[in-house]
Amino acid sequence: MDTTNLTAFLAIVDTGSFSEAGEKLFLTQPAVSKRIAALEEQLGTPVFDRIGRQVTLNEAGKALLPRARKMLELVHDTKLEIINLSGEVKGPLSIATSHHIGLRRLPDILKTFTRLFPDVKLDIRFVDSEASYEMLSRGEIELGIITLSPDSHPTIYSEKLWHDPLGFMAAKDHPLTRLKTVSTEQLSEYQAVLPGRNTFTYQVVQNLFDQEGLKLQTAMSTNYLETLRMLAAIGLAWCILPLTMQDDDLRVLNVELKGVKSPPSRELGYILHPKRTLSNAARAFIELLKQHKDNS
C-alpha cells in the first residue's frame, strides 16, 4: 500500500478537509484528491463520505484509520533505525513548543544545536502545550518542549527540565497593588486576563477560585503570554505569569492562598513517545536540553 496515499488520507482526517490537507502536505487539492482516488481504487471502496464541503470517515475509513497510523509508524521507525546505524546526526527533526518557551528558553539551545548539527532540518511548530500531546500521539512530531501536564499520560514519557514559578501581577497603578496582601476574594472583584480555559495555567487559577467558591472574572483570554503581559501592564486587568516575565511596569501581588502550601507554578520539560524509535537528531537535542536544565 502506497505510503504517500496513506499520508494524504491521515492529513484529511486530521485537518477535516482536502484543501487544508493539501496545505499541510504542500500539495494542490487535485493532487490530494488523486492520491485518495488511488487509495480507494486499491481498497475497492470509498473511505470518506463527501456531503457538500464536509468530509467524514465512512465505515471503511474508520477501519483503515488505526491501521494506517500503525503502517506509517512502522515505515518511519524502520527508516530511523537504519539511518541511526550510521551514527550520523542528520535528517528531519520535528519539534512542537509553545511561543513562551520558544522565546524564553530555546534560543540559545537552538543556536547551539544548529551550529553543532548543520545537517539536521528542523521543523519547529509553535502550538499550545496541550495540543503537543495529541500531535505526539498521532506521530506528527518527535519531541514536545512544553508546559507539562499535571496529569500523567500513560502512553507518553515526560521529563522535567525547568521549574517555572508563577506570580499574580498587575500594573503599578492598579488598585490591587496598593494592598500589602491580597486575598483570592479581592482578586475576584477585579477582571483578569488569562490563557484559554483549556490550558494548564488557566486550570491552576480556576482550581484556586473553585476551592473558595469564588467567581473568576475574565476580561479576555489569549494563549500568548507576551500579549497577556501587555494587557496587564496597561492596567486592563490582573494576570498570572511566570515570574521571569516581571519587569518595572508590573508589580507582583502578595496573594494569600487558603489551603495552599506553595505558590502556583508550572513544570516545563520535554515529552516523547516511548514506543517510537528516536532519531539521532532527537537524541542529540535531548542531550542538549538536559545540559540546560535546572540544577535543582
Side-chain angles (χ1 to χ4, degrees):
M1 194 169 289
D2 194 322
T3 58
T4 59
N5 296 342
L6 291 176
T7 300
F9 168 74
L10 292 180
I12 295 168
V13 172
D14 293 337
T15 62
S17 78
F18 278 64
S19 59
E20 290 185 30
E23 291 177 8
K24 182 178 180 178
L25 299 174
F26 302 102
L27 296 171
T28 63
Q29 182 174 334
V32 173
S33 298
K34 186 176 180 180
R35 291 187 180 187
I36 297 303
L39 176 64
E40 291 177 332
E41 182 179 357
Q42 188 174 20
L43 293 172
T45 181
V47 292
F48 292 110
D49 287 332
R50 302 167 179 84
I51 303 173
R53 294 186 177 181
Q54 189 175 9
V55 180
T56 57
L57 285 172
N58 60 21
E59 289 304 310
K62 291 176 183 178
L64 174 64
L65 181 57
R67 294 170 174 82
R69 292 200 191 279
K70 287 181 181 178
M71 282 188 277
L72 289 181
E73 286 175 12
L74 180 60
V75 171
H76 178 264
D77 284 356
T78 302
K79 287 181 179 178
L80 280 182
E81 286 188 12
I82 293 171
I83 292 172
N84 286 349
L85 291 174
S86 69
E88 294 181 282
V89 180
K90 63 179 183 179
L93 173 58
S94 54
I95 296 171
T97 190
S98 66
H99 285 84
H100 175 70
I101 294 175
L103 287 171
R104 303 239 171 196
R105 301 280 185 172
L106 290 186
D108 288 344
I109 296 171
L110 289 169
K111 184 178 180 180
T112 301
F113 185 82
T114 54
R115 176 176 56 82
L116 293 175
F117 309 108
D119 293 330
V120 175
K121 184 179 180 182
L122 282 171
D123 175 16
I124 304 173
R125 309 181 193 186
F126 292 94
V127 299
D128 296 340
S129 294
E130 297 73 21
S132 299
Y133 284 88
E134 289 297 322
M135 295 174 70
L136 190 65
S137 296
R138 293 195 298 262
E140 296 181 17
I141 57 171
E142 274 200 86
L143 294 174
I145 300 99
I146 58 167
T147 300
L148 299 177
S149 171
D151 302 317
S152 60
H153 286 249
T155 60
I156 291 177
Y157 173 81
S158 64
E159 183 166 330
K160 172 190 166 184
L161 294 170
W162 307 291
H163 181 66
D164 198 31
L166 302 172
F168 294 91
M169 303 183 195
K172 292 186 292 184
D173 56 353
H174 193 283
L176 288 171
T177 61
R178 302 173 194 158
L179 305 175
K180 289 185 178 180
T181 60
V182 180
S183 66
T184 315
E185 185 175 0
Q186 288 170 318
L187 281 178
S188 70
E189 296 172 0
Y190 295 90
Q191 289 191 324
V193 286
L194 297 169
R197 291 178 179 270
N198 65 321
T199 62
F200 303 138
T201 303
Y202 181 92
Q203 292 166 17
V204 167
V205 182
Q206 186 64 68
N207 289 340
L208 294 172
F209 276 67
D210 287 345
Q211 288 172 17
E212 297 186 40
L214 298 171
K215 183 179 179 181
L216 181 58
Q217 295 189 56
T218 307
M220 61 182 69
S221 64
T222 174
N223 292 352
Y224 296 99
L225 297 190
E226 299 291 343
T227 302
L228 290 178
R229 189 191 183 289
M230 179 274 292
L231 293 172
I234 62 175
L236 181 65
W238 61 266
C239 66
I240 184 168
L241 293 171
L243 290 178
T244 54
M245 298 182 72
Q246 191 265 335
D247 211 336
D248 292 340
D249 54 353
L250 280 178
R251 295 276 176 85
V252 177
L253 305 174
N254 183 20
V255 178
E256 292 183 332
L257 301 172
K258 296 180 181 179
V260 177
K261 295 181 179 180
S262 58
S265 63
R266 311 182 304 175
E267 305 300 339
L268 312 180
Y270 71 86
I271 57 175
L272 56 83
H273 201 297
K275 292 186 178 180
R276 293 202 182 100
T277 301
L278 280 181
S279 65
N280 288 339
R283 296 176 193 274
F285 199 90
I286 289 172
E287 287 304 311
L288 197 55
L289 285 172
K290 290 180 177 180
Q291 291 175 24
H292 288 76
K293 71 182 295 186
D294 289 339
N295 294 324
S296 57

